[in-house]
Amino acid sequence: LFQVMLTHQSAGEAGPHAAFGDATLVARDADLGTARFDMTVGVIEAGDDIVGGVEYAAALFDPSTVARMMAHLDAVLRAAAAQPDAPLSAHA
């Protein structure tokens, strides 16, 4: 039904909003076995911090491609945090 999944979890008192201003998403090698989806990006709010990670099918993506994709996502999130009232299309 889908190939890429994005998850967001709020931990504790972080509240319903996401403050992406200082967020950094990092692609790291981790031997977690077989990826359940082609790609899963997850972020978790913990107080003022947002921690992110990505799991991907190594047969489909090179690590440099995933790192580049996460850098693009990081740039969009930072731009959205800097101008929260602008439409998301203005940050692409």
Side-chain angles (χ1 to χ4, degrees):
L1 298 175
F2 61 92
Q3 296 169 307
V4 177
M5 178 169 58
L6 172 65
T7 65
H8 171 264
Q9 292 180 335
S10 179
E13 300 92 37
H17 66 283
F20 291 107
D22 293 324
T24 301
L25 299 177
V26 179
R28 294 186 295 187
D29 291 335
D31 187 5
L32 301 175
T34 303
R36 290 184 227 155
F37 304 103
D38 290 356
M39 181 177 289
T40 302
V41 178
V43 293
I44 299 173
E45 290 180 60
D48 291 338
D49 296 327
I50 296 177
V51 180
V54 60
E55 177 183 272
Y56 60 93
L60 299 175
F61 299 100
D62 291 324
S64 62
T65 300
V66 174
R68 188 172 58 251
M69 292 169 74
M70 293 303 101
H72 290 222
L73 178 58
D74 181 64
V76 169
L77 295 177
R78 287 178 186 277
Q83 296 179 309
D85 294 330
L88 187 57
S89 61
H91 304 299

